[in-house]
Amino acid sequence: MNKFVVNGGKPLNGEVTISGAKNAAVAIIPGVILCDEPCRIENIPNISDVALIGTILKEMGAIVKRVNKSTLDIDPRHIRTHEATTDLVRGMRASYYLLGALLGRYGKAKVLLPGGCNFGVRPIDQHLKGFEALGCDHEILDGAIDIKCREGKLKGNNIYLDVVSVGTTINLMLAAVKAEGLTVIENCAKEPHVVDLANFLNSMGADVRGAGTDVIKIRGVEYLHGVTYSIIPDQIEAGTYMAAAAATRGRVTVKNITPKHLDSITAKLREIGCDIEEFDEAVTVDARGKNLTRCNIKTMPHPGFPTDCQPQFVAMLTSCNGTSIINENVWDNRYQYISELQRMDAKISVEGRLAIIEGGTPLKPAQVKATDLRAGAAMIIAALTADGTTVISNIHFIERGYEEVVEKFQQLGADIKKVYDPEGELAESV
């Protein structure tokens, strides 16, 4: 029943500090299961997905203590089960990383099929093909994937991924860290959080080489020691605030980032006419007084333009003059949110994987909803550009991946607040 109420029409100005990467955190935290000692994980985003995976580990027996808002101490030595079958597992897509971690530790795993944002088929056939190559059999029972090693221990092997998949790459890395011998994964995903997971595993004593390239080689080890590890900044959160600065014609400095991770995003912002200034760990987007114009975007695996920034840029491009064309090349059905932007009088049409945006017409305030995590961020950006009051519902999607999103936008001068609306009265006022 919580909603965001946004009074738009004001440019964003100021500084915002980016949190740790959600996509790295939800892989690294399950990765602690593989460790033979306690670990401290720093720069963790304070979001619902992280709280959820922490709770799942607790229910499995791990000792999880929050040191402060961005630091967790995790002791996996008390985990006594290879099963994660609580309903909490259904609450997030990344819970399937428990498969690789539990397989790596126990040689068997039983995990409920994951949930998360629903914007297309999320098959795990690639994951299962990889686990089979490592010596496992699987079956699906009562909505759970039950995987067991044929010989009690994983065996290294050569694995070629039919499609570039972040989830498969991460899951096979987790499984192979303690497998016997050498595992070679080809056609790997290269995303920054894949590299971050490899760095985390190596800091514990794993032997993972080639992360960030097409081929990752993992030589199994028997023991992993505890570490203190800091997660990378969130490139998608950074891209969201950068798009919002452009959409509102403001000037925003985004801090605590890795500029190299944002190359595809800054390139498009420059293309439409923004001034971009990069620093060692920050970037400034200046769109004040700019006559921003159209661009075309094709989402691709890293280092291409990230699909997770596509909705935010669509919302931003509605404010830019000319016709922009988006080619969503990663997910089949990521345009569910377009109908919500159309409620705000956005001139957007969808033809298969293409979204055609007739920009330059101001959006109108409306009652809209978040259809998934990144689409929810797009609704905020759209609301910030509309002159009037927009009410956004289904904000639990947004809070899955954005830490203190209201407070951060308020720091930039946005008129946004979170309200409790059990009777749906706000809808009648818009």
Side-chain angles (χ1 to χ4, degrees):
M1 296 295 105
N2 288 321
K3 297 176 182 177
F4 290 157
V5 178
V6 183
N7 292 303
K10 302 175 184 178
L12 299 181
N13 287 286
E15 298 180 345
V16 62
T17 300
I18 298 305
S19 302
K22 165 192 172 287
N23 290 332
V26 296
I28 286 172
I29 293 173
V32 176
I33 291 173
L34 293 162
C35 194
D36 298 285
E37 300 174 7
C39 291
R40 171 167 288 187
I41 312 298
E42 299 175 336
N43 200 35
I44 284 182
N46 188 19
I47 54 176
S48 60
D49 264 15
V50 165
L52 189 58
I53 194 68
T55 301
I56 293 170
L57 260 61
K58 278 184 181 179
E59 292 195 356
M60 294 169 65
I63 298 174
V64 182
K65 295 181 180 178
R66 184 170 289 278
V67 178
N68 55 47
K69 186 180 71 172
S70 61
T71 304
L72 285 181
D73 281 348
I74 305 173
D75 187 345
R77 294 175 297 180
H78 303 279
I79 296 176
R80 294 291 183 266
T81 178
H82 67 279
E83 297 186 5
T85 53
T86 168
D87 279 345
L88 292 175
V89 175
R90 298 189 191 278
M92 60 184 295
R93 173 175 61 100
S95 58
Y96 58 34
Y97 294 145
L98 293 167
L99 283 169
L102 289 168
L103 268 179
R105 175 164 173 171
Y106 293 110
K108 54 186 177 180
K110 185 177 181 181
V111 178
L112 279 178
L113 287 165
C117 292
N118 179 26
F119 47 73
V121 179
R122 294 176 181 268
I124 64 165
D125 56 317
Q126 293 263 1
H127 304 235
L128 298 176
K129 173 187 171 184
F131 294 145
E132 183 177 341
L134 295 175
C136 297
D137 294 318
H138 74 271
E139 57 182 339
I140 297 179
L141 297 171
D142 301 322
I145 305 166
D146 193 3
I147 307 178
K148 292 185 177 67
C149 269
R150 289 187 287 271
E151 299 179 20
K153 187 169 179 61
L154 297 169
K155 307 286 186 181
N157 203 347
N158 283 27
I159 304 168
Y160 182 86
L161 304 186
D162 296 330
V163 296
V164 177
S165 165
V166 172
T168 305
T169 302
I170 287 175
N171 236 342
L172 295 181
M173 287 170 62
L174 291 168
V177 163
K178 288 189 169 182
E180 286 184 357
L182 179 67
T183 299
V184 180
I185 311 170
E186 298 182 73
N187 199 29
C188 296
K190 307 173 190 175
E191 270 68 7
H193 46 288
V194 172
V195 178
D196 205 32
L197 175 63
N199 290 339
F200 167 66
L201 294 171
N202 285 339
S203 71
M204 295 192 296
D207 186 355
V208 181
R209 304 182 187 189
T213 73
D214 290 319
V215 181
I216 296 176
K217 297 181 180 180
I218 305 165
R219 192 168 295 279
V221 299
E222 292 187 1
Y223 192 90
L224 295 176
H225 58 79
V227 295
T228 296
Y229 189 83
S230 183
I231 287 173
I232 58 170
D234 196 315
Q235 66 174 139
I236 305 303
E237 184 191 14
T240 298
Y241 288 105
M242 292 164 73
T248 62
R249 304 303 189 269
R251 183 182 186 276
V252 172
T253 297
V254 183
K255 302 169 67 177
N256 185 37
I257 60 145
T258 305
K260 184 67 178 174
H261 293 169
L262 300 169
D263 281 351
S264 62
I265 293 168
T266 54
K268 286 300 173 183
L269 290 173
R270 284 193 173 105
E271 184 179 335
I272 66 173
C274 294
D275 288 336
I276 307 290
E277 187 175 2
E278 293 185 6
F279 307 93
D280 287 344
E281 294 182 349
V283 62
T284 297
V285 178
D286 191 349
R288 295 173 299 177
K290 301 292 186 182
N291 181 26
L292 301 186
T293 57
R294 58 165 297 284
C295 74
N296 295 338
I297 293 174
K298 182 176 183 179
T299 65
M300 297 285 286
H302 190 79
F305 191 92
T307 180
D308 278 356
C309 267
Q310 178 254 98
Q312 302 91 307
F313 268 66
V314 167
M316 181 267 293
L317 287 169
T318 63
S319 72
C320 300
N321 293 322
T323 302
S324 299
I325 300 175
I326 308 295
N327 184 345
E328 174 50 57
N329 203 42
V330 177
W331 292 112
D332 294 328
N333 191 23
R334 194 154 199 174
Y335 290 134
Q336 295 180 52
Y337 69 92
I338 295 293
S339 60
E340 299 302 311
L341 290 178
Q342 289 169 341
R343 291 174 182 267
M344 302 180 71
D345 208 26
K347 304 299 189 287
I348 306 174
S349 59
V350 175
E351 299 176 8
R353 288 183 176 269
L354 300 181
I356 302 160
I357 307 156
E358 301 291 342
T361 302
L363 298 182
K364 298 177 182 177
Q367 167 85 8
V368 296
K369 65 183 179 183
T371 57
D372 63 70
L373 167 56
R374 307 306 174 182
M379 293 306 114
I380 295 177
I381 292 172
L384 291 170
T385 70
D387 191 4
T389 302
T390 295
V391 178
I392 305 170
S393 57
N394 284 6
I395 64 171
H396 62 279
F397 280 119
I398 303 171
E399 293 174 333
R400 280 189 48 227
Y402 288 92
E403 178 179 340
E404 298 177 350
V405 64
V406 169
E407 292 81 358
K408 288 185 179 183
F409 272 115
Q410 287 175 343
Q411 289 170 14
L412 297 174
D415 185 348
I416 177 174
K417 59 184 177 181
K418 180 178 176 179
V419 299
Y420 182 61
D421 182 34
E423 304 299 327
E425 297 173 355
L426 287 172
E428 299 175 5
S429 65
V430 175

